Amino acid sequence: MLGSLTDRVPLTTAALTVLALSALYALARFSPSSRIHNHCQALQAGGWWADAAALVWQPQGCTLKQYKYADVARCLQRPLGAGANGSYALFVGDSTVRNKFYAWARLIDPDLAAQSEEDGKVHADISVRWPGEPGVAAMFHWDPFLSSNTTAQVLRGAYNETLPQPRVLLMGAGTWFLRRPAESGGTVGWRRAIDTAVQRLAASRRPDARAIADHVYLSPVTHVVPDKLTPERRAVLDPEAIHWMNAYLQAADLPVLSSWSDMERTRPDATLDGLHYSRAFEDVAINVLLNRVCNRDTISPRPPFRTTCCFEYPPPVRFVTAYAALTLLLIPALLYVRARRPTLALLRVVPGADTLRQLGVFGAILLLMYVCDRTPLFEKLQKHFVGWVFAALSLASLAAGAATWQHADKTGAFLGRAQTDEWKGWMQLVILAYHLMNASGVAAIYNPVRVLVAMYLYMTGYGHCCYFYSKRDYGLRRLTAVLLRTNVLAVGLAYVMGTSYMDYYFAPLSSIWVLIVWLTMRIAPAANYTRLVWAKLAASACVFSAVNRWHLWPFALLERLGVSWSEREWEFRFGTDIFIVYVGMATALLVLQHGQQLQAHPRWPQLRRWAILAAALGLPLYFYFELTRESKFEYNKWHPYIAPVPVLSFVVLRNATEYLRSHSSSMFRSAGLISLELFIAQFHLFLAADTKAVLVLVDSRLWFVNLFFTTMVFVAMCRLLGSASGAITAWLMAPVSPEPESADVIPMAELPHAPERPRALDRLAADPSLPARIAQGLARARILDNLALRWALGLALLIALNNHYY
């Protein structure tokens, strides 16, 4: 039934339908109010525990920033290293607010905060200063009834040198009103105190009034767990009364952090005494407050935007606006003109209709990624690792691959095309699950995924070495086509999304290794067919290892040209897999030079059995080795030398029999054909925030439903991108041939006995327009057919765009 449905409804049609419905749903919920569409209100109002055990809090539709000391200092508008005249945060209330104060203080000075807690200051004022300086960073004022003279002074905005105006004010009370009703007036007294606060806050908003603070928030009355309360507290802390008090706060015109109530209500195990919550819990709670208060001051307006809660996305730069106009206006207009007036002379310099359509598809998908990842239209979720979900996704992919296992290669060749496409496909699915589940922090998963990247590069060395050895084609045309196909999507996204080309690291990494393989085989090509080829491989490995180790990459030149790439990141990426490409080249040379002799050797069956046995031992030995490393950072030191073991072991086992070589999974092959697009497009379409968050197209609470529909859209768009990238590459590589002479001038028919026409009119009818004449002149000169000139012009254009718009 499912198969017949997929036959009737193509993937692209289904994906576009889902995308259209998702966009309509998002637009219906979208609000022009920045406080709403930037999720400030949602951050303050509620959320849920994405991972209760790990205390991962998920606000509705946005991602949180994890605050540290430097961030808090920047938020309080106090430069690092400044003197004592810095702003501070003021906390007023009971013991539950005091715990929030300690959570804030731990970010400023963990040792001092811990000492203050150990000193046993319970019903007293407390302050924490900036480390090594006299300036106050945070202050707590004990006032469980919100009735002290200091609280009244704060609410009037009557500050002085003793009590300066704070940047952040947090107030909260409630449980003491229930514990001591005779002294406080109970819930009636509490409501009177809240009404006073409402009036004071309303008065402070008048233009001529004194401000209370830049940011004022109220803490809800703490949710209690009766079973854990002492008998004395259980008798007076009525959950129904607390619920009523929080409902009253919600109805009042007060900035209440209601999300704290949701946190407490859904994590009753986080409190030991039923009233006060753990340090780790309070750290998460205060981080929500910091995101509400500080995100606009601490988040850079330049991408990537890894924090989306209470953050205003910047408007698109001029390049994006121009690109949108080109895609949505100019390309459709050219298609219309080409269909209605195909003989128009100007169209000779315009791509054909098929190419224009592919350019339109490519541009539209890039703009879709921009809307998904650079605007607040679609929600984003935080990533967190859940072991059983990662295992389930991996097993589901494996089962789908096994279900589509079929005969695919009649020749049964070693590392045939069907097999390598399958290889790239299942690896890319694992990498997608790895990024989706934020598994990089799990060394047992991170280390094998590093091997998957090495496998890609092994295939790069093997495949290109086979081509150069067999075809003896070292010209620029094939090299240029490969590099264009590899980079057209990554370069396009770098400019549209405002990111760095290095962020899509597989494209530059694959490109440099293609160039290295080409250069290694291009120099002294006759030696490729002698034993000297092994010396060439060794020399190439030594040279580029030295370049990477001694920091000889031309990053200084790039800086002078206005291109800022991370040298440290590049050297890590290149150096981690520095030898595996040469292992792939060596495999190719052995197969091409000695494959037939080896198979004809009388000891080949014995050698084959020993190789299979070694491979069968190699994989478990590798996993034992990587699992016993102290950390992934320790493993990274070993990876360049240990990676060939699992790679070659897999190659031997996958090609162990004729049956295995001739069969493969069609689903994995399909994924392998668009593996490049799957890897690069995941940054902004499958995921968000440049892979640091999860894109939401359906509903943020329906994680698996959203995953299903987002994956559908993602795969369909990648298939379209693959076709469009291929067409764009072919268009860029096409020679600029001169037009036929008959196309330049179309003579007009002579009418018998017609009067002689003025020659000026003939010239106007015969001569093409100036742009057409320029294009024809360039075509006749065949200047643009020179690939070296195209390279120079293309790079100059990219550098100019980079310096002008970014």
Side-chain angles (χ1 to χ4, degrees):
M1 178 178 177
L2 184 60
S4 61
L5 177 63
T6 55
D7 290 338
R8 291 196 301 270
V9 183
L11 176 62
T12 302
T13 303
L16 291 176
T17 302
V18 170
L19 193 58
L21 293 175
S22 298
L24 290 174
Y25 177 66
L27 286 170
R29 300 176 61 192
F30 188 81
S31 169
S33 170
S34 62
R35 187 168 177 265
I36 296 176
H37 73 240
N38 288 339
H39 302 286
C40 289
Q41 184 175 0
L43 172 67
Q44 185 177 325
W48 63 91
W49 292 107
D51 188 340
L55 289 176
V56 178
W57 180 252
Q58 177 60 65
Q60 176 70 42
C62 62
T63 58
L64 291 167
K65 177 183 177 69
Q66 294 300 316
Y67 272 80
K68 300 179 180 178
Y69 168 77
D71 302 312
V72 178
R74 191 179 304 114
C75 169
L76 295 181
Q77 296 182 345
R78 178 180 179 280
L80 298 179
N85 297 323
S87 187
Y88 73 106
L90 176 62
F91 296 77
V92 177
D94 56 18
S95 58
T96 60
V97 175
R98 184 182 63 225
N99 283 355
K100 301 294 189 299
F101 160 79
Y102 280 131
W104 184 291
R106 281 192 289 273
L107 291 169
I108 304 296
D109 191 337
D111 296 333
L112 185 60
Q115 181 180 349
S116 298
E117 289 183 271
E118 293 170 359
D119 287 344
K121 292 184 177 180
V122 181
H123 303 160
D125 294 349
I126 314 169
S127 63
V128 171
R129 301 183 180 277
W130 297 104
E133 299 176 15
V136 174
M139 181 185 300
F140 170 71
H141 172 62
W142 171 259
D143 184 9
F145 302 128
L146 301 181
S147 59
S148 69
N149 292 333
T150 300
T151 301
Q153 181 183 349
V154 168
L155 290 175
R156 291 195 309 271
Y159 297 108
N160 52 39
E161 293 184 0
T162 305
L163 183 65
Q165 182 183 27
R167 176 162 168 75
V168 181
L169 171 63
L170 177 69
M171 303 178 67
T175 55
W176 275 68
F177 284 88
L178 298 177
R179 292 178 63 183
R180 299 187 179 181
E183 180 181 349
S184 64
T187 55
V188 175
W190 175 85
R191 185 172 62 182
R192 189 183 305 114
I194 295 302
D195 291 342
T196 300
V198 170
Q199 295 170 6
R200 294 296 186 185
L201 285 173
S204 70
R205 297 189 187 109
R206 294 198 299 265
D208 58 340
R210 287 183 287 186
I212 295 176
D214 293 345
H215 302 277
V216 180
Y217 292 96
L218 263 73
S219 172
V221 183
T222 300
H223 177 82
V224 297
V225 182
D227 294 342
K228 296 184 177 183
L229 293 172
T230 62
E232 182 270 331
R233 287 176 174 172
R234 190 183 304 122
V236 294
L237 296 181
D238 181 12
E240 292 296 329
I242 292 175
H243 177 76
W244 175 86
M245 296 164 84
N246 283 326
Y248 189 84
L249 287 175
Q250 288 286 349
D253 185 20
L254 288 172
V256 182
L257 289 162
S258 302
S259 56
W260 287 355
S261 291
D262 290 346
M263 288 181 174
E264 295 165 350
R265 187 175 60 256
T266 53
R267 277 302 308 272
D269 58 318
T271 174
L272 294 177
D273 63 0
L275 177 62
H276 302 100
Y277 288 76
S278 67
R279 286 188 179 185
F281 182 97
E282 297 292 7
D283 290 342
V284 175
I286 208 67
N287 193 66
V288 170
L289 172 61
L290 283 164
N291 273 263
R292 181 64 182 89
V293 169
C294 302
N295 281 359
R296 294 184 179 179
D297 299 322
T298 59
I299 300 176
S300 170
R302 295 182 62 85
F305 306 124
R306 297 174 179 175
T307 300
T308 61
C309 288
C310 210
F311 169 69
E312 184 72 35
Y313 283 92
V317 298
R318 287 177 294 170
F319 175 84
V320 176
T321 305
Y323 189 82
L326 173 70
T327 301
L328 304 178
L329 298 177
L330 182 58
I331 290 179
L334 290 174
L335 284 169
Y336 176 81
V337 172
R338 183 172 282 283
R340 291 301 182 96
R341 300 184 62 186
T343 60
L344 191 66
L346 186 61
L347 293 178
R348 297 171 185 171
V349 296
V350 174
D354 290 340
T355 302
L356 281 174
R357 278 190 285 269
Q358 294 290 1
L359 285 168
V361 168
F362 185 86
I365 296 176
L366 263 61
L367 292 176
L368 170 64
M369 294 187 196
Y370 185 90
V371 171
C372 288
D373 203 15
R374 295 293 184 262
T375 71
L377 181 63
F378 293 105
E379 296 181 343
K380 286 86 179 175
L381 291 180
Q382 296 171 138
K383 298 195 304 181
H384 62 283
F385 180 74
V386 181
W388 73 266
V389 176
F390 179 81
L393 293 176
S394 301
L395 291 174
S397 299
L398 180 62
T404 57
W405 180 263
Q406 59 187 217
H407 188 276
D409 191 344
K410 296 180 180 179
T411 63
F414 176 81
L415 285 180
R417 179 60 183 269
Q419 185 187 144
T420 54
D421 284 341
E422 177 205 66
W423 193 0
K424 290 186 291 185
W426 69 257
M427 287 194 301
Q428 186 54 55
L429 295 180
V430 173
I431 290 174
L432 288 174
Y434 166 84
H435 283 151
L436 175 68
M437 297 309 304
N438 198 32
S440 61
V442 183
I445 301 175
Y446 168 87
N447 299 341
V449 169
R450 291 271 359 127
V451 172
L452 299 187
V453 177
M455 286 178 168
Y456 270 106
L457 296 177
Y458 172 87
M459 282 188 278
T460 298
Y462 178 86
H464 290 288
C465 184
C466 283
Y467 176 85
F468 292 127
Y469 187 93
S470 303
K471 302 295 184 180
R472 306 191 183 204
D473 175 13
Y474 307 105
L476 280 180
R477 178 158 296 278
R478 194 260 180 184
L479 177 68
T480 302
V482 170
L483 294 177
L484 281 174
R485 182 66 182 83
T486 303
N487 288 283
V488 63
L489 178 57
V491 171
L493 281 174
Y495 284 91
V496 172
M497 306 301 293
T499 54
S500 170
Y501 168 65
M502 293 291 294
D503 291 344
Y504 314 100
Y505 67 88
F506 185 74
L509 193 61
S510 177
S511 299
I512 193 64
W513 278 116
V514 169
L515 286 170
I516 291 173
V517 173
W518 171 79
L519 189 63
T520 303
M521 301 294 286
R522 176 67 181 83
I523 296 174
N528 296 339
Y529 307 95
T530 69
R531 294 181 179 179
L532 289 177
V533 69
W534 302 105
K536 287 176 60 177
L537 261 63
S540 177
C542 291
V543 167
F544 287 101
S545 179
V547 167
N548 201 65
R549 181 178 294 274
W550 296 337
H551 316 292
L552 299 179
W553 297 105
F555 283 95
L557 174 62
L558 292 175
E559 286 284 349
R560 294 174 68 89
L561 294 174
V563 179
S564 298
W565 289 347
S566 172
E567 183 175 6
R568 181 178 179 182
E569 178 71 12
W570 171 252
E571 289 176 348
F572 167 75
R573 297 289 183 188
F574 185 86
T576 303
D577 296 301
I578 197 166
F579 300 121
I580 196 64
V581 175
Y582 294 104
V583 174
M585 295 177 69
T587 305
L589 291 172
L590 285 172
V591 170
L592 293 170
Q593 292 182 348
H594 307 290
Q596 293 182 352
Q597 294 107 326
L598 283 173
Q599 293 183 53
H601 197 279
R603 291 194 176 182
W604 169 249
Q606 182 181 1
L607 178 61
R608 176 174 161 275
R609 286 193 296 271
W610 279 107
I612 294 173
L613 178 61
L617 292 173
L619 284 178
L621 286 175
Y622 163 77
F623 282 109
Y624 172 80
F625 176 85
E626 66 97 359
L627 288 171
T628 54
R629 297 309 93 190
E630 190 173 317
S631 67
K632 67 179 187 180
F633 305 105
E634 177 67 21
Y635 170 81
N636 283 337
K637 299 176 183 178
W638 290 94
H639 179 78
Y641 314 101
I642 198 70
V645 173
V647 174
L648 292 176
S649 297
F650 174 81
V651 169
V652 170
L653 294 176
R654 184 64 181 82
N655 292 270
T657 67
E658 174 72 22
Y659 175 82
L660 290 174
R661 291 194 298 272
S662 61
H663 286 69
S664 60
S665 165
S666 61
M667 191 199 81
F668 289 155
R669 289 200 311 272
S670 299
L673 291 173
I674 55 170
S675 59
L676 179 65
E677 287 73 30
L678 290 172
F679 182 87
I680 296 174
Q682 68 169 318
F683 280 67
H684 312 292
L685 197 51
F686 182 65
L687 303 173
D690 299 46
T691 74
K692 302 303 179 184
V694 178
L695 178 65
V696 177
L697 295 181
V698 181
D699 190 292
S700 54
R701 288 184 179 269
L702 304 175
W703 195 90
F704 283 102
V705 174
N706 179 73
L707 175 63
F708 175 80
F709 287 108
T710 303
T711 302
M712 179 191 300
V713 172
F714 172 60
V715 172
M717 295 303 105
C718 285
R719 289 173 59 179
L720 293 175
L721 282 172
S723 299
S725 298
I728 292 171
T729 300
W731 170 59
L732 292 173
M733 290 296 299
V736 183
S737 303
E739 297 290 339
E741 288 296 323
S742 60
D744 291 342
V745 179
I746 302 176
M748 301 181 64
E750 294 282 343
L751 292 176
H753 310 293
E756 185 177 354
R757 291 159 46 85
R759 294 184 179 179
L761 293 179
D762 283 332
R763 285 197 302 272
L764 287 174
D767 290 347
S769 63
L770 178 60
R773 292 201 302 272
I774 294 174
Q776 293 167 12
L778 290 174
R780 290 194 185 95
R782 303 184 70 86
I783 294 176
L784 295 180
D785 282 353
N786 186 293
L787 283 178
L789 179 60
R790 289 193 188 187
W791 270 90
L793 291 176
L795 291 175
L797 175 63
L798 293 177
I799 291 172
L801 289 173
N802 185 77
N803 284 281
H804 186 67
Y805 291 107
Y806 295 100

